[in-house]
Amino acid sequence: MRSLKGFTLIEILVSMAIILLLSVGSLVGFSQFGKRQSLNISRDALKNSLNEAKAKSQAQVIVTTQCKQSGRVLVGYQIRFNTVTNPDSYTLEEVCTSGAVILPQVIKTVSLSKGVEFNSPPSTPLRFLLHPGTINSATTVNINLRSGSKTYLIQVDPAGIVR
């Protein structure tokens, strides 16, 4: 008599259950990885914008035509957190004055990655003053980014150093 070789129904069901559990675990891990990467991308973009504002202030470069007009004086560059109009974005602005009037000019607006938001952003713009690039605050400014349960803190000290 010949014996039949093959897998039993129980063996097949157990192996399918193991494959299903591994697949679900991989999908959850990949989702968390995506959120972490979105947070890292937004963090790097914000740090780059802060450093760009500082560099332009130190170089005293005038970018917009409005600040090149006669009688206007360049004060610096600032990052404004759009808490009302678009809470997940910020703008890089050139700041000049005409007498006592402050005239910010938008250079670019940056939106955070999908799923990333500010966790209580500064209510006033973070301004980098002309050479040597210090900020308009006597204390360290904290900027918190959040994606799900993950958070990231960016600090700008009074000397204008971005951490």
Side-chain angles (χ1 to χ4, degrees):
M1 183 184 221
R2 289 192 294 168
S3 65
L4 297 175
K5 295 189 179 189
F7 296 106
T8 65
L9 181 60
I10 298 293
E11 292 171 331
I12 292 173
L13 288 175
V14 167
S15 62
M16 293 288 283
I18 291 170
I19 291 171
L20 180 67
L21 287 173
L22 289 173
S23 298
V24 168
S26 297
L27 287 174
V28 169
F30 186 71
S31 172
Q32 292 299 321
F33 174 76
K35 286 180 182 178
R36 203 167 41 251
Q37 286 304 100
S38 293
L39 184 61
N40 289 341
I41 289 169
S42 294
R43 174 201 65 202
D44 291 344
L46 179 55
K47 279 184 161 183
N48 287 339
S49 294
L50 289 164
N51 284 320
E52 180 181 357
K54 180 180 178 180
K56 286 183 183 302
S57 292
Q58 287 176 321
Q60 302 180 18
V61 176
I62 298 177
V63 176
T64 63
T65 56
Q66 290 85 351
C67 282
K68 290 180 181 177
Q69 293 177 3
S70 177
R72 296 193 177 175
V73 178
L74 179 66
V75 175
Y77 286 81
Q78 69 186 14
I79 300 291
R80 179 184 305 274
F81 300 93
N82 305 325
T83 54
V84 177
T85 56
N86 187 357
D88 298 334
S89 70
Y90 57 91
T91 56
L92 172 62
E93 300 174 339
E94 181 177 61
V95 181
C96 55
T97 59
S98 178
V101 179
I102 296 176
L103 305 166
Q105 301 296 319
V106 175
I107 296 174
K108 69 178 179 179
T109 300
V110 180
S111 294
L112 299 176
S113 298
K114 183 180 177 190
V116 179
E117 60 189 11
F118 289 109
N119 189 10
S120 66
S123 57
T124 59
L126 180 59
R127 185 175 303 155
F128 289 88
L129 306 172
L130 296 183
H131 187 73
T134 57
I135 62 171
N136 61 334
S137 174
T139 61
T140 298
V141 176
N142 295 324
I143 306 165
N144 288 298
L145 294 175
R146 178 178 62 208
S147 177
S149 62
K150 303 280 185 199
T151 60
Y152 192 86
L153 173 67
I154 297 173
Q155 294 183 318
V156 183
D157 68 14
I161 298 171
V162 180
R163 295 187 185 105

